[in-house]
Amino acid sequence: MTIHAQACAVPSTSSPDGVLRQRGQREVFCGLTGIVWLHRKIQDAFFLVVGSRTCAHLIQSAAGVMIFAEPRFATAIMEERDLAGLVDANDELDRIVAQLLARRPDIKLLFLVGSCPSEVIKLDLSRAALRLSQRFAPGVRVLNYSGSGIETTFTQGEDACLASLVPVLPVADRASGPSLLVVGALADVVEDQFRRIFVSLGIDQVAFLPPRRSSELPAIGLETRVLLAQPFLGDTARALEERGCRRIAAPFPLGGEGTALWLAAAADAFGVSRAHVDRTLAPLQARAERALARYRAQLAGRRVFLFPDSQIEIPLARFLAREIGMELVEVGTPYLHREHLASELKLLPQGVLLSEGQDVERQLDRCRAARPDLVVCGLGLANPLEAEGLTTKWSIELIFTPIQGFEQAGDLAELFARPLLRQTRLAV
Amino acid sequence: MQLSVWTYEGPPHIGAMRIATAMRDVHYVLHAPQGDTYADLLFTMIERRDRRPPVTYTTFQARDLGGDTADLLQSAVRAAYDRFQPQAMLVGASCTAELIQDDPGGLAQALKLPIPVIPLELPAYQRKENWGASETFYRIVRALAASSANGSPRRPREAGARPVCNLLGPTALGFRHRDDLAEVTRQVVELGIEINVVAPWNATPADLARLPQADFNIVLYPEIAATAAQWLQRQFGQPSTRTIPIGVTATREFIAEVAALAGVDASPVLARSESRLPWYSRSVDSTYLTGKRVFIFGDATHAVAAARVATQELGFEVVGLGTYAREFAREIREAAAIYGVEPVITDDYLEVEARVSELRPELVLGTQMERHIAKRLGIPCAVISAPCHVQDFPARYSPQMGFEGANVLFDTWVHPLMMGLEEHLLGMFREDHEFADHAPSHLGAAPARPSEAVRSAEPAAVAVSSAALSWATDAERELTKIPFFVRGKARRNTERFARERNVNLITLETLYDAKAHFGR
C-alpha cells in the first residue's frame, strides 16, 4: 500500500506560546496501564477494573507475559445484562468483590478502577467504594479512581490512583514538625537512595507516596511539604494542596543536574544552608557526571524526536539536551502542566518545538521528514519505524526502569545509547 | 458482570483487526476511545510485525463526548481513505463506541467512497475475539466474492485441468498460523493441487473476489473460516475440508480428504511423507509416558486435536478436556465422550483453575492462561492454543500441523515432564539435597513450588470435601514418599476409597488398600 504522506505538515493550531497543539488519532495508552507497575509497588493492593473485555485484554496483553501464580489485578467485565439494566450493577459489583476477597484474604487495599465503559454509562464507583469499604472494614479498604482512556493518558492513571489515596492519608500530628512527602512511584532502590540523601541533608521526616504497603500510608498536614518525583501528578498535587500541604517547585530528578536541583529545592524549603547542600550534593553530582561522560561522547550532537507518551518527555528532553548534548527535533507530550513544568521549561534550549496532544499520522510525517538519529516512541510505532530504517527507543521502558537520581543518571543515558550501539553492532 | 482474572479472548474488534492486519490493501476505521490503540502492540510486539496494523482509531476523549463524535468518525474515515488508498474499508466500533451508538458503518457509507465499505456489527458485550474474526472474514468474503461472480454456480473443472483450492483461516496473531500455512501448502502442492487464494493471510480484496474460482476450500481454522466456507459452499457449491491436520493420524486423514475432494490419488504422498513422532513415541525411552494424566484446554480445534494426539500418539491419559469457545462446545462434548471425561466449557479462568486443581493432572496442555494455573499448582505445562504471548511467535519453523507439526508437538509436550531416569531415582531416594521432587533438573530453574497461598489453601479444600476424614500421621508421611506428580491423585483416590467404605481415619493400611484397589 502506498502511503500518501503530506509533503509538509502545517501545525493545525500554533498557539502564541509556540506550543504545537494538534488533534487527531492519539497513539497512547489509557490510564489503566498504570496498574502494570502500581500493583508491584503497593504489595498488598489489588486493582479491580470495572470495564469491558477490552480493558481486561489490555492489561493481560501488557502484563500477561509474566506468569502469575497470584495476579494482583482483575477485571469485572460488564455484560449485556448489566447494560440493559436487567441486573443491578451495584449488586453485581458487591458479589464480585466478595468473591475476590474470599479468594484473596491477603488483600488490604482494593482499588475499583473506572474505565471508558463504566464512565460512559456513569456507574458510580465512588459510592460503591464507600459502601464496600464499610462492609469490609476494618480488614480491607476500598478506593476508586478512573483509568479510562477518555479521561486519562497512561501515567495519569498513577496520578488518579494516588489522588484517590490522598483523602485517606492520616492527619499528621502538628507537634511532629515539618515533614517532606515525595510523591510518585519510584523504584525501591531509588527511593532508598533519596531517603539516605534527605537524611544527610538533615531532612529526617521523609515519606513516600505511594508506600510499599497500604499499612504504611504517610501522615500529612499543614506542615507537609510536597516534592513531586514525577511530572504527571497534577490531580494528586491539587488534592494534597487541598489538605494544606505545600508543593515545592523544582525540576524533576532526571540526570545529575536535575537531581541536584530537585534535592536543593527541597533543602531550601527546609532551610538547609546552601553550603551544606553543596557539600552534600557536589560529590554525588560529580559522580553522576563521570558516569554520563561516556554516553555524552556517544550521544552528543545526535538528533532526537520524542513522541508523546507519559509526560516525562519534557524533563527527559531537558536532560538529553543539557547533560548529554543531544539536539531536540520535537518534544511531544500528551499533556503539558505549565505550573508543574515551569522550572523545566526554563531549562529547555531556546526554540525547541514542543507539541501537546497528537495527530499521529501527521506527527509521523514530521518525524520521517526530519530523519532523526533516535525516535522515542511507544511500542505500537517502534518496530514499524525500525523497519523504515529509523532507530527507536521505546518510551514505556522509561517508566519501568530506575532512572531518577544521581546513581541512575548513567543508566538513563545508557537507555538512549543502547539502540544506537546496537545499530552499529549488528551485521545482519 | 463476570470476574475475570484472565480473559481467554479479546473483544470482537480485535478479531476484526486480526483479519484486517492479515490482509493487504484493506483499511479498518475503528470508532474507539483514546487508549484502545494498545491493540497495535499485539501485532507490532507480540507478533513482531514490521508495519503498523492498517487501523485508524478515532481515539475520542471525554471532551469529545459533548460534541460531535459522528463527525469525528467521518473525518477519520475520509482521512484514512485519502492517506492509505485501500481497495476496501472496514468500519466498526469498539465496546465504548458501541455505547454511544454513532452507527459507524452507516456514517462511513454515507461518505460514498469509491471503494467497498463494509460495516461491521460486532456486539462487544456478547461476543468475543474469534467470533469477531469469523464474522469479519465472512462479511468481507461475502461483500467481495459475491460481486465478482454474481452468485452464478461454479463451472465444473475441465478434464485434465489441475484441481484448484483455496486455503482459508490463517490470520494475524494466530497460534502458529504462519508455519501451519507453510506446512499445509507444501502438502497440498505435493498432491498436485493448485492453490487459488490463501485468505485472509496476505490476501487483497481483489484476491477475495477470485475465491469462487476454486474447486474446493481447505479450512485450517474453523473458528475463523467455517462461516465463510459455509457461505462459499451455499453460494458457489465449493465443498470444504473438515479434518484438522494436527497429529500424524489426522494429517494422513487430511491428505486423504483433500485428495478425495480434488479427485487425485493420495497414496504416493502418503507413502513418502512421514513424521518422526511415531518412532520417537515407540522408542523405549517413551515408555514412561504411558498413562501420564493430562488436562487439555484451548480453542476447540486445538483441544480436540491435542486430545487425540495425546491418547493415540503419545499414550497419555486425558483426564480433562475443555474449551473457552462456546460456539464450539459441541465438538468438545463429542470428544470428551470418547475419553469418558466431563467436558469443561467455560470462559471463566477461575473455573478452569478449580478443575485443574481438582483433577491434579501430571501435565497441562493449554493456553498462556493455563501457564498461570500450572505455575500456581506446580504442574508441568505446554501451550497448544491461543491466547499466547510473544514466546509462542517463535523465529524458528514450528508448525502444529502436518508431519513436521507432529515432530514439534512431540518435543514441546514431553519437554516440561521430568525425564525418565530422574523420575525413577526420585521415586527411590527422597532425601537428596540437590534433586527435589518438584523440579526437573533439565529445566534449570524449574516450575516453582506451589505457592504458600495454595499450600495453605489445600488442607482447607480437603477438609471441605471430606468433612469427617482425617489422616493418621504415618499415612500422611507415607504419602510424601509418593512421587510429586502423582501424589495429588493418590491423595484423592485414597480419600475416595475411605469415604466409600466409611473409613474416617486414613491409616497406612487404607493408603495401600486404596493403591491396590485403583492401581497406580
Side-chain angles (χ1 to χ4, degrees):
Chain A
M1 191 185 300
T2 25
I3 292 170
H4 297 261
Q6 287 149 346
C8 180
V10 184
S12 58
T13 323
S14 53
S15 54
D17 59 2
V19 176
L20 173 63
R21 290 192 175 80
Q22 283 195 331
R23 296 191 60 184
Q25 178 175 322
R26 293 169 65 109
E27 183 87 14
V28 289
F29 284 122
C30 66
L32 295 181
T33 325
I35 293 169
V36 175
W37 66 91
L38 287 170
H39 85 273
R40 296 299 268 268
K41 182 72 194 179
I42 317 176
Q43 290 154 31
D44 53 357
F46 193 96
F47 294 81
L48 179 65
V49 178
V50 181
S52 64
R53 193 168 300 282
T54 309
C55 310
H57 195 237
L58 156 77
I59 297 179
Q60 80 179 30
S61 303
V65 70
M66 296 183 289
I67 307 298
F68 290 84
E70 285 298 346
R72 288 178 236 159
F73 45 81
T75 310
I77 296 182
M78 297 194 289
E79 295 166 320
E80 192 70 10
R81 44 199 212 114
D82 299 294
L83 300 175
L86 295 179
V87 288
D88 186 323
N90 287 307
D91 294 345
E92 284 290 287
L93 193 54
D94 290 8
R95 178 180 62 78
I96 281 179
V97 168
Q99 183 188 352
L100 179 67
L101 293 178
R103 181 185 149 91
R104 298 293 307 279
D106 50 319
I107 299 168
K108 300 286 176 265
L109 179 60
L110 175 66
F111 288 101
L112 302 180
V113 189
S115 65
C116 300
S118 73
E119 299 294 330
V120 166
I121 66 164
K122 305 211 182 304
L123 186 59
D124 193 343
L125 292 181
S126 61
R127 281 184 53 190
L130 206 62
R131 182 177 69 242
L132 289 162
S133 262
Q134 283 161 359
R135 179 166 159 197
F136 292 102
V140 185
R141 194 197 300 267
V142 185
L143 296 175
N144 141 260
Y145 71 89
S146 170
S148 75
I150 56 177
E151 293 166 309
T152 58
T153 305
F154 193 34
T155 47
Q156 284 177 326
E158 176 176 329
D159 186 27
C161 174
L162 300 188
S164 80
L165 273 171
V166 171
V168 302
L169 297 182
V171 179
D173 185 358
R174 291 213 73 166
S176 63
S179 67
L180 179 66
L181 182 66
V182 180
V183 187
L186 292 169
D188 293 344
V189 62
V190 175
E191 204 175 287
D192 295 341
Q193 289 167 9
F194 283 155
R195 192 185 295 276
R196 286 198 297 270
I197 298 175
F198 284 124
V199 169
S200 62
L201 284 170
I203 307 173
D204 292 329
Q205 296 207 46
V206 185
F208 290 82
L209 184 72
R212 295 181 197 186
R213 305 196 67 83
S214 66
S215 52
E216 297 158 8
L217 288 178
I220 56 168
L222 299 175
E223 304 261 14
T224 305
R225 304 301 302 268
V226 168
L227 187 60
L228 300 181
Q230 299 280 17
F232 44 74
L233 297 168
D235 288 348
T236 308
R238 191 179 325 117
L240 287 164
E241 280 161 10
E242 278 165 14
R243 285 198 53 182
C245 305
R246 279 173 300 155
R247 184 177 67 88
I248 300 166
F252 292 91
L254 296 181
E257 181 191 33
T259 303
L261 290 170
W262 186 73
L263 291 163
D268 276 353
F270 280 75
V272 182
S273 79
R274 259 295 139 154
H276 182 58
V277 172
D278 289 346
R279 220 167 27 243
T280 311
L281 300 187
L284 297 171
Q285 190 174 352
R287 186 159 66 196
E289 275 159 18
R290 281 202 300 284
L292 285 172
R294 175 186 337 167
Y295 300 107
R296 195 178 172 93
Q298 295 171 23
L299 293 170
R302 303 280 200 138
R303 299 165 64 245
V304 60
F305 189 112
L306 296 97
F307 277 76
D309 186 53
S310 62
Q311 297 185 44
I312 208 173
E313 295 82 6
I314 288 173
L316 207 56
R318 178 263 302 157
F319 162 75
L320 293 175
R322 291 172 65 94
E323 297 191 47
I324 303 292
M326 291 186 89
E327 195 182 311
L328 306 173
V329 179
E330 176 174 335
V331 182
T333 179
Y335 177 71
L336 178 59
H337 195 300
R338 291 215 150 263
E339 192 190 335
H340 288 184
L341 284 163
S343 329
E344 290 285 355
L345 291 169
K346 272 185 239 153
L347 295 173
L348 271 187
Q350 286 294 309
V352 170
L353 174 60
L354 294 182
S355 63
E356 183 184 12
Q358 187 174 35
D359 178 338
V360 71
E361 301 294 353
R362 295 166 78 183
Q363 195 164 30
L364 282 166
D365 289 342
R366 294 199 296 279
C367 181
R368 290 180 182 119
R371 298 294 303 176
D373 297 304
L374 189 66
V375 184
V376 181
C377 63
L379 291 172
L381 301 178
N383 273 337
L385 286 176
E386 291 279 349
E388 289 181 26
L390 289 162
T391 302
T392 62
K393 163 78 214 95
W394 54 283
S395 50
I396 306 147
E397 195 173 18
L398 299 162
I399 300 299
F400 291 158
T401 311
I403 56 168
Q404 292 84 0
F406 293 122
E407 315 305 344
Q408 283 68 239
D411 302 345
L412 176 57
E414 197 273 343
L415 288 179
F416 295 89
R418 198 187 301 164
L420 292 163
L421 175 66
R422 189 165 180 77
Q423 285 300 339
T424 62
R425 277 192 184 206
L426 296 183
V428 289
Chain B
M1 283 183 207
Q2 187 195 355
L3 174 60
S4 166
V5 179
W6 302 107
T7 169
Y8 284 100
E9 292 181 72
H13 74 258
I14 297 293
M17 279 188 73
R18 289 176 54 187
I19 302 297
T21 306
M23 292 183 65
R24 290 177 293 136
D25 292 350
V26 170
H27 201 84
Y28 182 22
V29 177
L30 181 63
H31 203 19
Q34 163 177 274
D36 279 5
T37 52
Y38 83 86
D40 285 356
L41 276 70
L42 306 172
F43 302 95
T44 60
M45 296 307 295
I46 295 181
E47 202 179 6
R48 277 185 236 254
R49 285 192 173 245
D50 61 359
R51 273 171 297 178
R52 294 173 65 214
V55 182
T56 294
Y57 306 77
T58 55
T59 57
F60 56 84
Q61 294 176 268
R63 60 181 174 197
D64 298 315
L65 293 178
D68 195 350
T69 49
D71 186 53
L72 189 65
L73 176 94
Q74 284 191 316
S75 49
V77 170
R78 206 177 285 115
Y81 175 73
D82 289 345
R83 181 175 283 265
F84 299 103
Q85 303 275 304
Q87 289 178 22
M89 200 178 261
L90 301 168
V91 182
S94 79
C95 54
T96 304
E98 189 182 330
L99 296 173
I100 58 178
Q101 300 185 329
D102 278 332
D103 182 22
L107 288 167
Q109 284 175 318
L111 293 174
K112 304 219 178 303
L113 298 178
I115 52 165
V117 172
I118 301 157
L120 297 176
E121 292 287 339
L122 308 175
Y125 297 90
Q126 292 170 25
R127 303 293 192 157
K128 294 182 290 227
E129 177 178 334
N130 280 338
W131 186 88
S134 172
E135 173 72 7
T136 303
F137 187 48
Y138 163 64
R139 290 285 160 197
I140 198 168
V141 164
R142 213 185 134 120
L144 299 169
S147 60
S148 68
N150 299 320
S152 59
R154 190 172 43 94
R155 270 182 303 143
R157 181 157 49 97
E158 284 167 38
R162 296 220 302 172
V164 179
C165 71
N166 299 316
L167 275 176
L168 305 182
T171 66
L173 216 65
F175 180 68
R176 310 295 168 89
H177 286 197
R178 178 196 68 197
D179 298 341
D180 283 349
L181 176 62
E183 188 67 14
V184 170
T185 300
R186 197 165 55 79
Q187 219 65 261
V188 170
V189 169
E190 268 187 56
L191 284 165
I193 300 166
E194 208 170 289
I195 294 173
N196 176 46
V197 174
V198 175
W201 189 270
N202 269 342
T204 64
D207 291 334
L208 293 195
R210 294 190 294 110
L211 279 172
Q213 294 169 15
D215 299 313
F216 65 100
N217 290 314
I218 292 177
V219 174
L220 294 186
Y221 308 102
E223 281 84 353
I224 310 291
T227 310
Q230 281 157 16
W231 182 81
L232 288 167
Q233 172 140 30
R234 282 198 304 277
Q235 209 66 18
F236 306 109
Q238 293 172 337
S240 56
T241 57
R242 302 202 158 272
T243 314
I244 305 300
I246 296 179
V248 175
T249 321
T251 298
R252 300 182 70 85
E253 288 173 9
F254 172 80
I255 291 170
E257 186 187 17
V258 170
L261 284 174
V264 299
D265 181 11
S267 43
V269 172
L270 286 174
R272 68 172 175 264
S273 295
E274 257 319 330
S275 164
R276 280 180 285 273
L277 180 143
W279 167 241
Y280 270 53
S281 200
R282 282 180 190 280
S283 75
V284 293
D285 196 48
S286 297
T287 309
Y288 83 113
L289 299 175
T290 313
K292 285 266 182 214
R293 305 170 68 256
V294 56
F295 180 89
I296 299 173
F297 196 82
D299 67 30
T301 298
H302 286 90
V304 170
R308 185 173 184 191
V309 174
T311 50
Q312 297 182 2
E313 300 182 14
L314 289 171
F316 295 157
E317 182 193 350
V318 172
V319 296
L321 177 63
T323 186
Y324 52 80
R326 288 181 194 282
E327 293 92 339
F328 289 80
R330 194 168 54 89
E331 283 79 351
I332 287 288
R333 286 207 187 89
E334 284 168 7
I338 296 173
Y339 307 109
V341 297
E342 184 81 8
V344 187
I345 293 152
T346 181
D347 58 356
D348 184 349
Y349 166 84
L350 296 174
E351 205 176 315
V352 179
E353 184 186 73
R355 190 65 74 91
V356 176
S357 171
E358 176 200 329
L359 292 168
R360 289 286 160 165
E362 294 163 70
L363 175 67
V364 173
L365 299 177
T367 73
Q368 176 77 6
M369 305 308 140
E370 277 62 54
R371 297 176 70 184
H372 301 294
I373 296 173
K375 178 183 182 187
R376 184 169 195 251
L377 301 171
I379 302 172
C381 180
V383 173
I384 58 158
S385 160
C388 48
H389 226 293
V390 60
Q391 60 273 54
D392 278 300
F393 292 90
R396 67 181 182 277
Y397 187 58
S398 30
Q400 304 285 288
M401 292 183 173
F403 294 122
E404 183 58 27
N407 295 339
V408 171
L409 294 185
F410 183 90
D411 291 344
T412 311
W413 297 3
V414 172
H415 178 75
L417 296 170
M418 191 168 290
M419 294 171 81
L421 174 63
E422 187 165 349
E423 185 176 305
H424 282 297
L425 289 173
L426 282 167
M428 292 176 69
F429 313 111
R430 311 209 47 81
E431 291 170 13
D432 195 280
H433 60 271
E434 179 182 349
F435 295 91
D437 65 359
H438 58 89
S441 62
H442 74 283
L443 297 183
R449 273 178 186 281
S451 69
E452 288 298 330
V454 179
R455 266 181 289 162
S456 58
E458 222 170 4
V462 171
V464 171
S465 65
S466 54
L469 266 186
S470 57
W471 282 73
T473 321
D474 56 347
E476 186 91 57
R477 200 179 312 123
E478 198 75 359
L479 188 66
T480 66
K481 296 174 192 167
I482 294 171
F484 168 75
F485 41 89
V486 286
R487 197 178 302 149
K489 184 192 168 205
R491 178 188 280 276
R492 275 195 328 134
N493 279 349
T494 309
E495 290 178 354
R496 186 173 136 204
F497 182 82
R499 259 194 307 277
E500 283 168 2
R501 283 157 190 76
N502 290 319
V503 173
N504 293 331
L505 181 69
I506 294 170
T507 62
L508 265 179
E509 296 308 311
T510 329
L511 179 69
Y512 283 117
D513 283 347
K515 182 169 189 278
H517 180 79
F518 289 110
R520 191 180 89 119

